[in-house]
Amino acid sequence: MPSLKSLKTRIGSVKNTQKITKAMKMVAAAKLRRAQEAAEAARPYAERMASVLTSLSAKADRGASAPRLLVGTGKDDVHLVVVATSERGLCGGFNTNIVRGARAKIDSLIRQGKTVKILCVGKKGRAVLRRLYGDAVIDTIDLSHVRRLAFADAQPIAERVIAMFNAGEFDVAWLFFAKFQSALVQITTGQQLIPAPLAEADAAGAGGSVVEYEPSENAILETLLPRNIAVQMFRALLENAASEQGSRMTAMDNATRNAGDMINKLTLTYNRQRQAVITKELIEIISGAEAL
Amino acid sequence: MADKLHFELVSPERLLNSAEVEMVVVPGEDGDFGVLAGHAPFMSTIRAGVIGIHAGGGAAPQRVFINGGFAEVNDKGLTILAEQAIPVAEIDAEAVARELANAREDIKLAKNAAERDHAEKAAALLEAKLGAVRH
């Protein structure tokens, strides 16, 4: 049986832990609201970009002059997998789930005999991927200094990916992140980044009307495609930020509840022990008196 | 009075402006163009410059600086996708001039072609910004 004193310190320390997890939960809830607003505010741009791109790529010619970002290199040998994770831990299964999703893809690519290169965004995914795939992890992009995610943070990542593509370092790019659904549910999503996946060109979007382009359609596509990649990247990072906070909030809520349960249990043991000590002392006094 | 044009200005971070206006003047890649209600479907890239939003009724146009982007006119109206948009009145001319001086220095200090290219682009953007304020 642990002593009364040690039980008391134990209860104290669990109480402190509970205070911390409770505070973290509240901070995460406040951050979640902001991240969610940011993700929602970014939606119109991404949606309009997608609709413009769809109608444009449906009309663009697929000949030799078509932008490579749209049609790809014509090969399918080297894949780049961009894995976006968080910069901080203590957010439940958030990072594990993203890495698991990415791993499933990477493993299946490797089984098909493709070469895989991995680019980590956020340091939490790096450790695991490094251990599993070693030198396939080409670099990690550190976003820990970013307090409020801006488009300017996503752009350099996109530029880098495009530069690598233009240098012929890979043929197909994938992006893994957690799509935010609610504080409880985040969906690990893997999407193809390059070549641009084509949504079915709907006749309604094109409107059947003749659209004038200035400069030419292909020139517009050339400028639009890199921008689209930056936008996709930005959106993924925003979704990720919201998911991270949601996941952390849930995790910290659980932790607070667990700490509460533990305190109850420990308090019970403490009280029982205290009574046992009193009873023991009484017995000693009484039997001492009877012996006289 | 003719129909109003539905105009939206969107940045990656949020929807900046959504309004019914009379006319919008856009600095297109190949020259400025004005968009009124009922404009034919049209798509154009935009150079860094000032868009003029004419609310109608003869009021002075609202001027917003954008650092390049993309304009689409369809039957629903005009949508401008810009990466950054600042009302011209909010631009601090002195700060921009200072940044421009820095950027020009960067061009001189650039060690390789890529760096110089980057600095030159930044300088061109700042010049356009300064031009917008001084105009």
Side-chain angles (χ1 to χ4, degrees):
Chain A
M1 261 322 226
S3 71
L4 274 180
K5 173 103 170 99
S6 76
L7 270 173
K8 208 166 189 178
T9 21
R10 185 92 195 278
I11 292 171
S13 90
V14 176
K15 266 186 183 154
N16 282 338
T17 312
Q18 192 190 30
K19 271 182 207 152
I20 293 170
T21 56
K22 209 180 217 167
M24 277 183 83
K25 181 193 149 194
M26 284 194 278
V27 171
K31 280 188 177 166
L32 170 67
R33 222 191 50 236
R34 248 191 296 153
Q36 215 176 333
E37 273 164 16
E40 263 156 30
R43 239 164 244 173
Y45 190 94
E47 273 164 17
R48 294 217 169 76
M49 180 70 96
S51 74
V52 169
L53 207 58
T54 315
S55 64
L56 204 55
S57 55
K59 286 175 199 146
D61 77 287
R62 297 305 184 79
S65 63
R68 284 166 76 224
L69 284 174
L70 181 66
V71 294
T73 53
K75 282 184 298 182
D76 180 28
D77 298 333
V78 185
H79 288 242
L80 177 79
V81 180
V82 182
V83 185
T85 53
S86 73
E87 293 290 347
R88 286 148 191 243
L90 289 181
C91 45
F94 176 73
N95 290 311
T96 329
N97 286 341
I98 295 175
V99 169
R100 192 179 298 146
R103 261 178 72 185
K105 183 78 205 168
I106 294 167
D107 287 342
S108 89
L109 284 173
I110 289 175
R111 266 200 303 282
Q112 288 165 32
K114 317 272 188 216
T115 315
V116 177
K117 292 179 178 175
I118 303 166
L119 182 66
C120 294
V121 180
K123 67 180 174 199
K124 280 293 163 188
R126 181 188 52 191
V128 186
L129 291 168
R130 251 245 136 83
R131 184 161 46 81
L132 285 166
Y133 302 106
D135 289 337
V137 180
I138 46 175
D139 203 3
T140 309
I141 291 158
D142 188 4
L143 288 177
S144 55
H145 57 280
V146 175
R147 301 208 147 256
R148 203 190 165 87
L149 201 64
F151 187 62
D153 298 314
Q155 211 164 15
I157 308 174
E159 273 167 15
R160 171 137 187 222
V161 170
I162 294 164
M164 280 175 66
F165 181 73
N166 288 338
E169 287 178 40
F170 64 87
D171 302 314
V172 182
W174 297 87
L175 175 62
F176 279 90
F177 64 100
K179 197 171 189 168
F180 181 80
Q181 195 163 47
S182 72
L184 287 168
V185 184
Q186 296 90 30
I187 306 162
T188 307
T189 315
Q191 70 173 56
Q192 195 176 325
L193 209 56
I194 302 172
L198 282 183
E200 288 297 309
D202 50 339
S209 51
V210 184
V211 182
E212 271 183 69
Y213 297 98
E214 180 186 300
S216 70
E217 294 169 32
N218 271 7
I220 292 183
L221 261 182
E222 285 303 313
T223 58
L224 206 57
L225 285 167
R227 199 163 289 177
N228 180 50
I229 288 170
V231 169
Q232 298 290 352
M233 195 70 88
F234 180 57
R235 219 182 121 210
L237 291 180
L238 283 175
E239 294 272 348
N240 236 11
S243 298
E244 180 193 342
Q245 298 305 340
S247 190
R248 173 166 300 133
M249 196 176 99
T250 321
M252 287 304 123
D253 187 41
N254 281 339
T256 311
R257 206 167 312 129
N258 287 345
D261 288 349
M262 196 158 186
I263 290 170
N264 284 346
K265 243 187 248 159
L266 285 173
T267 318
L268 199 69
T269 333
Y270 176 79
N271 287 343
R272 228 178 246 157
Q273 178 116 20
R274 190 172 53 94
Q275 272 172 334
V277 169
I278 293 169
T279 318
K280 200 176 105 203
E281 275 174 10
L282 275 177
I283 290 170
E284 274 165 10
I285 293 166
I286 292 165
S287 42
E290 268 174 8
L292 285 176
Chain B
M1 188 77 200
D3 289 342
K4 290 269 187 174
L5 169 76
H6 183 66
F7 164 69
E8 281 186 352
L9 177 60
V10 201
S11 85
E13 274 142 44
R14 62 202 166 98
L15 181 65
L16 293 165
N17 195 341
S18 174
E20 306 294 321
V21 296
E22 191 179 311
M23 177 174 81
V24 180
V25 179
V26 187
E29 193 77 54
D30 294 347
D32 292 11
F33 59 89
V35 180
L36 286 135
H39 196 288
F42 181 65
M43 265 184 210
S44 173
T45 46
I46 305 174
R47 59 173 206 276
V50 176
I51 53 172
I53 305 162
H54 299 255
Q62 186 193 345
R63 300 171 76 234
V64 178
F65 176 82
I66 56 176
N67 66 347
F70 187 80
E72 187 198 14
V73 186
N74 56 24
D75 46 358
K76 289 181 215 107
L78 167 70
T79 309
I80 291 181
L81 305 179
E83 266 150 42
Q84 200 189 33
I86 316 164
V88 168
E90 286 173 22
I91 299 177
D92 180 356
E94 273 176 37
V96 177
R98 262 202 309 278
E99 277 177 50
L100 183 58
N102 275 344
R104 288 204 172 119
E105 214 158 283
D106 284 349
I107 299 177
K108 279 185 211 135
L109 295 174
K111 288 186 200 75
N112 53 41
E115 248 176 56
R116 191 174 312 118
D117 202 38
H118 196 79
E120 269 169 7
K121 265 188 203 153
L125 194 65
L126 288 165
E127 250 167 57
K129 211 176 195 175
L130 203 59
V133 193
R134 298 250 164 97
H135 186 60

